[in-house]
Amino acid sequence: MKKAKLILLTTLAAIASYTNAGDLAPGRWEVKQTMEGEQLPPGMNKNKTRHRCVTAKEAEDIEQTMRQASQRNNCGNPTTDRNGNTVSWTMQCNNSGRTIETQGTMTAHNKKHYTSEITTLSDGHTLTVKADATWTGPCEDQP
């Protein structure tokens, strides 16, 4: 269970980081996620909907945002590549002597919609999280 939580945390951090891309509108985002993997704990909900508020400052610099998220999760600096409206990345995290490798892509379809797919590999097991995110409006606590 601890392993699944760590993989999930790393994956969600990467998704949250990329919702901050400068190509996207700041505000409240609804992120619908589907998880697939060999070692999902029994009873774990494979489909989740999350909400996240992104400030204008967070949305300014994709590289800086990704580096900060990586550091918070004991990961090295991600290697990123941008091709048009799609960003790809890889990063490696170390936790309790285990190495977790993450790779993903995020496509900004427009300023208010993106999709992503992130795959993590740890101890020979993979977890893939697919997300479809939609901007829902300004955050309640922002003017």
Side-chain angles (χ1 to χ4, degrees):
M1 183 71 156
K2 189 175 185 179
K3 179 178 169 181
K5 283 182 182 179
L6 178 62
I7 292 171
L8 182 59
L9 172 66
T10 303
T11 303
L12 295 176
I15 291 172
S17 298
Y18 275 95
T19 64
N20 297 335
D23 301 56
L24 302 175
R28 185 172 166 84
W29 284 82
E30 178 180 81
V31 183
K32 295 179 181 178
Q33 300 171 321
T34 302
M35 292 182 276
E36 303 168 357
E38 305 136 355
Q39 293 221 322
L40 286 177
M44 180 180 216
N45 188 355
K46 295 177 183 169
N47 299 302
K48 293 186 183 221
T49 299
R50 301 193 181 267
H51 293 90
R52 172 146 171 23
C53 282
V54 176
T55 67
K57 182 175 180 178
E58 289 175 317
E60 286 175 9
D61 186 347
I62 191 170
E63 296 290 332
Q64 182 62 24
T65 301
M66 187 64 182
R67 280 186 186 80
Q68 289 172 349
S70 296
Q71 290 171 354
R72 284 192 304 268
N73 290 290
N74 298 320
C75 302
N77 279 332
T79 301
T80 60
D81 182 51
R82 180 181 288 263
N83 185 4
N85 63 338
T86 299
V87 175
S88 303
W89 70 92
T90 59
M91 69 179 166
Q92 195 172 70
C93 306
N94 294 303
N95 192 303
S96 302
R98 288 194 343 244
T99 299
I100 300 171
E101 296 179 24
T102 302
Q103 64 180 22
T105 60
M106 188 277 284
T107 301
H109 300 281
N110 58 53
K111 284 196 164 285
K112 296 183 178 181
H113 177 234
Y114 77 85
T115 54
S116 66
E117 183 170 329
I118 300 169
T119 301
T120 59
L121 174 65
S122 176
D123 296 330
H125 300 285
T126 61
L127 173 69
T128 299
V129 177
K130 296 178 183 179
D132 190 308
T134 306
W135 185 85
T136 60
C139 296
E140 292 177 16
D141 60 344
Q142 294 177 348

